[in-house]
Amino acid sequence: MGALRFLNMLTWRRAPAGGGSHFQSLPMPFGKMLPFNKIPAPSTIGKAIVAALLIGSISACGGGGTSPSIPNPPPPPPPATQSIVSVFAGIPGATGNVDGALNTAQFNSPQGIVADAAGNIYVADTDNFTIRKISAGTVTTIAGAPGVAGWADGIGNNALFNGPWLMAVDAAGNLYVTDQGGDMAAAIIRKITPAGQVTTLTNPATGQAIQTDGGGAIAVDSQSNVYVFSSTPTQPSVLVQITPAGVVNTIALTTTAGTPLALVNPQALAIDSANNLYISDDDLTGNAGALYKVTVNGVNGTVTQLAGTTSVSGATDGPGSSATFDGLSQIALDPAGNIYASDYNNSTIREISPAGMVSTVAGIAGQTGLYPGAQPAPLPDIGALLWLGQTLYATDIDDNVVLGISHMP
C-alpha cells in the first residue's frame, strides 16, 4: 500500500504558520472621493478664461470651419474569464455539527462530496462521523451520530461511521461511502438508501466486509456496479468491480498496446456517462501523478494515459505526459468530458481536456490558504471535487467549509 492522503494522517495537512484557519481577508483599496456637494463652483473669472480659450481655438482652425475628425480608439478587449471562489456552505474556521442555513451550518473536516439526479448535494463530514445533505439552501444530517465513531448498520442516526471519507451515488439515489478503519489500514464500503438505511457491502464468497487497499476512492456506473481499489497477495492496488449482486471482480488493466498496467498509488476514481473510468495515480510517496482513462469490457480494462506521469513531479501545464503534477488527487468531470483535478501538493486545481491538454484553472502553485474572490489566488487543501450545473464544488478540510468555484475558464 502506497502513501495515502486522508484527513486523520496529519502529515498530509499543511497548517498555516502559527496555527488557526487558512481563511484570510484581502483588503480592498478604494480611492478617496470628494463629496458631490463639496465640488467648488467655477468663478466668473474662470468662466471668462474658458470662453476666451475656446474663441482662440476656433479662430486658429480657420474661423470655425470643419476639421478632420479623429476616430475614437477601439474598445479594450473584454477581460479574460476568471474563476471566482466563494464559501458555499459552512463558517470558515468554525468546527461543529450544526444543521441549518448554508451560512450558519458547521462542519468538521468535510471530505467526500457528490450530488444525486435531483441536484441534492451530500457531504461526508469525516470528524463528525456523519453524512450531511445540502438541499434548498439548508444543511441536514441524514446518517450517523454526531461525535460518535463506530461501525453499526441502521437507519439515520442509529447507524455509526468510523470515518466517512469519499462517496459515489447511483442512478437510484443510493450513496456509497468509504469508511475508514480504526487502524487506517483499510476502508470498508457503506451503502445508504434514500430512506436512510445504512448497510455494509460484504463479499458473499467470504461473508466478510469488502475492504479497500487503504484508500477511499470509489465510483459507481450507470448499471450500479461499484468500483474501488483493493489489494491482493501480489499487488498492493488493483481495480475491483462489485456488482449489484455482490460479486467481486478484479479488473485486469492493460495499455492500448496490450501491456499489463500495474497501478502504483491510486488516489481517486471518476466515471463518465459512457461508463469510462478515470483514475488518478501517484508515485509511492504521493507525489507526481498520472491520469488514466479506462474502458471496461467485462473483467478487462483498456487504459489510455491522458496526462502526467508517475515518475516526474512538477506543476507544468501542457499536453499529455509533458504536463506534470505533484500529488494528483481527487477528480471530477463536467458534461463536456473535461476532468478537474486537485493537484494536492501544488495546492491547485488543474483541468485536463478529453484530448489530454492540462491547464491550471485555480490556485497558485506552492501557496495555500482561503481567499474568496477572483483567481488566481491561493487555495486551501481540497478534500474532494464535484461538478454540478456550472459550478465546481470543493470541500475545504482546513477551514471546514464547502467552496463553490464559478466562472471556470
Side-chain angles (χ1 to χ4, degrees):
M1 180 184 70
L4 299 172
R5 276 189 294 281
F6 50 84
L7 177 72
N8 294 354
M9 295 185 70
L10 297 180
T11 55
W12 285 107
R13 303 190 59 194
R14 298 182 292 283
S21 168
H22 283 278
F23 180 77
Q24 301 182 41
S25 298
L26 291 179
M28 184 176 293
F30 293 91
K32 270 193 169 182
M33 297 182 65
L34 197 62
F36 180 77
N37 63 354
K38 298 297 183 182
I39 299 175
S43 65
T44 303
I45 295 175
K47 292 177 180 177
I49 292 172
V50 171
L53 290 172
L54 289 173
I55 292 171
S57 298
I58 294 171
S59 299
C61 293
T66 303
S67 60
S69 62
I70 301 175
N72 293 326
T81 302
Q82 288 181 301
S83 304
I84 306 295
V85 175
S86 61
V87 176
F88 172 68
I91 303 172
T95 300
N97 192 96
V98 178
D99 288 339
L102 295 176
N103 62 349
T104 61
Q106 293 183 17
F107 301 87
N108 190 0
S109 301
Q111 292 201 82
I113 182 168
V114 295
D116 62 20
N120 300 303
I121 295 175
Y122 300 88
V123 176
D125 199 0
T126 303
D127 280 359
N128 277 326
F129 314 110
T130 56
I131 306 299
R132 316 290 290 278
K133 178 180 180 180
I134 303 175
S135 180
T138 301
V139 180
T140 56
T141 301
I142 64 166
V148 182
W151 282 316
D153 291 342
I155 297 177
N157 60 9
N158 290 317
L160 296 179
F161 296 87
N162 197 69
W165 193 352
L166 299 177
M167 295 197 295
V169 61
D170 67 17
N174 298 298
L175 297 173
Y176 299 85
V177 185
T178 48
D179 194 9
Q180 297 172 21
D183 58 1
M184 297 185 190
I188 61 175
I189 305 162
R190 316 294 295 279
K191 178 180 178 180
I192 309 171
T193 69
Q197 177 69 54
V198 179
T199 55
T200 302
L201 297 191
T202 59
N203 187 335
T206 63
Q208 301 296 312
I210 299 170
Q211 296 189 8
T212 72
D213 63 348
I218 189 167
V220 59
D221 67 18
S222 62
Q223 305 301 315
S224 295
N225 295 303
V226 176
Y227 296 87
V228 296
F229 299 114
S230 189
S231 299
T232 70
T234 59
Q235 292 180 278
S237 296
V238 295
L239 179 63
V240 164
Q241 178 196 71
I242 308 163
T243 71
V247 177
V248 179
N249 298 313
T250 299
I251 306 298
L253 300 178
T254 57
T255 67
T256 52
T259 305
L261 176 74
L263 298 171
V264 181
N265 185 14
Q267 298 292 326
L269 280 163
I271 195 162
D272 65 19
S273 58
N275 289 333
N276 296 302
L277 285 169
Y278 297 83
I279 298 173
S280 60
D281 192 17
D282 292 351
D283 67 16
L284 288 175
T285 58
N287 301 315
L291 180 68
Y292 300 124
K293 177 181 179 180
V294 182
T295 302
V296 178
N297 183 12
V299 294
N300 297 297
T302 303
V303 180
T304 302
Q305 185 168 335
L306 288 180
T309 172
T310 57
S311 60
V312 179
S313 296
T316 303
D317 289 337
S321 58
S322 67
T324 55
F325 303 91
D326 191 358
L328 185 61
S329 186
Q330 301 307 307
I331 52 179
L333 284 87
D334 70 12
N338 299 299
I339 302 101
Y340 295 90
S342 168
D343 194 357
Y344 193 87
N345 296 327
N346 280 324
S347 298
T348 57
I349 293 175
R350 317 287 291 278
E351 178 183 352
I352 303 96
S353 74
M357 179 61 70
V358 179
S359 58
T360 301
V361 294
I364 300 174
Q367 299 184 30
T368 307
L370 175 56
Y371 294 84
Q375 289 289 306
L379 289 176
D381 290 338
I382 300 300
L385 297 170
L386 163 69
W387 182 275
L388 180 63
Q390 297 298 314
T391 300
L392 182 68
Y393 294 91
T395 49
D396 173 357
I397 60 179
D398 291 329
D399 302 289
N400 298 321
V401 294
V402 178
L403 304 177
I405 308 175
S406 57
H407 304 288
M408 297 295 287

